[in-house]
Amino acid sequence: MLRVSFGLFSNRQVLMRCIIFLTTLFCVHPPAVSQFFLKDRFQNLSFSSPVGLYHPNDGTDRLCVVEQGGAIRIFPDDSSAIASKVFLDIHDKVVSGGELGLLGLAFHPHYPANGYFYVDYTRNNPLRTVISRFRVSPLNPDSADLSSEVILLEQPQPFTNHNGGQLAFGPDGYLYIGFGDGGSGGDPFGNGQNRSTLLGKILRINVDSAA
């Protein structure tokens, strides 16, 4: 019998080692398979500088898109939707561009009953972040009442960037507000570690308190 060897290993040993290696490669480390994919759900709609997508949770199956320039648009949660409506337009109050603008939206947990929603936007002269409450129009569920604005707080901003802007209600019913560190670069004023300023913090406020 002809026997070919490779150094200390026979051809059979080499073959077996190759089989074991390939089996380990494909069984232990199978090719990665993507578990998700992206799809343009609303192909007939377009928005100007959108910064967030929100659901009012009022049983009407509608969605809202926040546009940085100062508008909130509302439309049915239907891929065949062909148009959106202006729910709120405060562009005349908002200074936008770069990291400035209408940056956050949160619907009150009891929005179906009280119609309250909250926004985070930047305003000029002086430059500041404004947290406000609005109410939906009692006559039109697709439109907010502009005259209903109640300002909850205002925070001066030393620079035009790092404004944060995220709003969200927690399971405790409190409104959480994300403030950036005030801007520039590297937090030059150390706001993130300074407990005497709201900058660089996450706030938790009770919007239902009478105080």
Side-chain angles (χ1 to χ4, degrees):
M1 177 183 293
L2 179 62
R3 186 179 184 85
V4 180
S5 64
F6 298 84
L8 298 176
F9 302 100
S10 68
N11 56 346
R12 179 175 296 177
Q13 290 174 313
V14 172
L15 179 61
M16 289 303 298
R17 285 176 178 267
C18 289
I19 292 174
I20 294 173
F21 172 78
L22 293 174
T23 301
T24 303
L25 180 65
F26 288 103
C27 292
V28 179
H29 303 286
V33 178
S34 176
Q35 299 299 311
F36 64 91
F37 61 92
L38 300 178
K39 182 179 180 181
D40 185 356
R41 175 163 166 73
F42 303 104
Q43 300 183 28
N44 301 316
L45 301 180
S46 61
F47 304 97
S48 176
S49 300
V51 297
L53 177 69
Y54 302 87
H55 194 295
N57 292 315
D58 60 353
T60 61
D61 205 24
R62 296 174 300 164
L63 295 174
C64 289
V65 166
V66 172
E67 296 182 331
Q68 187 176 358
I72 299 174
R73 305 193 70 89
I74 193 166
F75 54 95
D77 184 8
D78 185 339
S79 60
S80 65
I82 60 174
S84 63
K85 299 177 181 179
V86 176
F87 180 70
L88 177 72
D89 186 354
I90 54 172
H91 76 273
D92 57 333
K93 299 182 179 183
V94 174
V95 55
S96 65
E99 298 178 26
L100 301 170
L102 178 56
L103 303 176
L105 167 66
F107 290 92
H108 193 283
H110 303 302
Y111 176 76
N114 61 29
Y116 290 156
F117 64 94
Y118 302 79
V119 295
D120 179 314
Y121 65 91
T122 51
R123 193 164 187 172
N124 245 339
N125 301 317
L127 183 62
R128 61 199 188 276
T129 289
V130 180
I131 309 297
S132 285
R133 186 193 76 193
F134 285 88
R135 175 182 286 172
V136 68
S137 168
L139 303 177
N140 184 359
D142 289 334
S143 180
D145 180 358
L146 280 175
S147 66
S148 67
E149 181 176 18
V150 175
I151 296 177
L152 303 186
L153 67 87
E154 296 181 287
Q155 170 61 46
Q157 293 286 358
F159 300 99
T160 60
N161 60 337
H162 296 192
N163 297 294
Q166 181 66 39
L167 299 178
F169 277 92
D172 54 5
Y174 285 75
L175 178 64
Y176 288 77
I177 304 168
F179 272 121
D181 62 18
S184 187
D187 192 11
F189 300 139
N191 291 323
Q193 302 300 316
N194 183 357
R195 295 186 179 182
S196 67
T197 177
L198 300 181
L199 296 173
K201 312 295 187 299
I202 296 179
L203 312 184
R204 187 186 74 153
I205 64 174
N206 181 2
V207 297
D208 297 319
S209 172

